[in-house]
Amino acid sequence: MRLPYTLSLLFVAALAGCVSVLPEPEAPDALYSINAEQRFTTLSHNLVIREPEAARLIAGQALVSEGADGGLRMIPGVEWSGPATRQIQMAMIDSFDPGASASAFAPELGVLTDYELASRLSALHLREETAICQMVVNVISSRDRTLMARTEVMASAEASSRAARDRALALQQAASDCAAQASAFAINVLSAQP
């Protein structure tokens, strides 16, 4: 069955109206990742490392700075290559030697371990030109869900200029240092376990 010419024109016009009038999101100039800063070989027990909890703004891909009024703003032109919390989790996992007798795992692998590392990322932003990363880190017994130990780790790094690249590199350094401190804390806690 053929549609009348007028009906066909109305159909085409309706489809054209479905096109978004919103501007396309701008692609960032550069993507940055958080990497394992150190490699540890002394993990005494297998460990599941969970993705840190965090506020939505700092958990995502945006790099954030704090204004003079205390408000948080995204730094234009730069982003994390994936969610910041997932990258910190993977940096902690990657900081342990996979060939060692005990290793760290992501929970989605389904590996059963006696211990877990859970954390909350409370800060990952720039304050003026100082990058700040702050996390509360918990080591938990998987068997009975008891808290074995808790600490707060904090790292900072100075941006060499106000350029977005230098600010991103400072945030990258602070986040990598936080991940390394959390891994070192887990080593210390688990080394005291039989």
Side-chain angles (χ1 to χ4, degrees):
M1 173 174 138
R2 290 187 58 157
L3 294 174
Y5 180 74
T6 308
L7 190 55
S8 296
L9 285 176
L10 287 173
F11 182 69
V12 170
L15 284 177
C18 292
V19 175
S20 174
V21 293
L22 296 174
E24 288 290 321
E26 290 186 30
D29 297 330
L31 297 174
Y32 293 87
S33 60
I34 300 167
N35 302 308
E37 191 172 83
Q38 297 179 2
R39 179 72 83 173
F40 300 103
T41 58
T42 56
L43 192 60
S44 57
H45 298 276
N46 286 331
L47 177 70
V48 165
I49 297 180
R50 300 199 171 278
E51 184 173 345
E53 297 176 1
R56 189 181 318 176
L57 184 61
I58 61 173
Q61 287 185 240
L63 276 73
V64 178
S65 67
E66 181 180 343
D69 61 356
L72 297 177
R73 295 172 181 81
M74 292 182 231
I75 301 171
V78 292
E79 287 183 4
W80 295 119
S81 58
T85 51
R86 178 69 172 173
Q87 289 195 48
I88 289 173
Q89 175 196 23
M90 296 313 294
M92 288 186 282
I93 291 170
D94 291 344
S95 69
F96 296 106
D97 183 0
S101 60
S103 296
F105 303 95
E108 58 268 21
L109 292 178
V111 176
L112 298 177
T113 65
D114 291 333
Y115 305 101
E116 297 178 17
L117 185 146
S119 57
R120 183 177 46 83
L121 181 64
S122 55
L124 181 58
H125 61 267
L126 279 154
R127 184 175 296 140
E128 295 180 5
E129 302 316 307
T130 303
I132 298 166
C133 178
Q134 191 169 0
M135 285 189 347
V136 174
V137 183
N138 305 291
V139 176
I140 300 166
S141 169
S142 300
R143 290 181 190 149
D144 55 9
R145 309 304 301 161
T146 58
L147 177 65
M148 299 175 58
R150 168 181 284 186
T151 194
E152 185 172 21
V153 297
M154 185 173 186
S156 63
E158 293 296 321
S160 59
S161 77
R162 290 198 51 83
R165 175 188 180 278
D166 293 332
R167 300 175 93 199
L169 290 172
L171 278 167
Q172 179 185 53
Q173 178 63 42
S176 295
D177 189 25
C178 257
Q181 288 181 50
S183 297
F185 174 69
I187 289 170
N188 289 338
V189 172
L190 296 183
S191 66
Q193 303 307 308

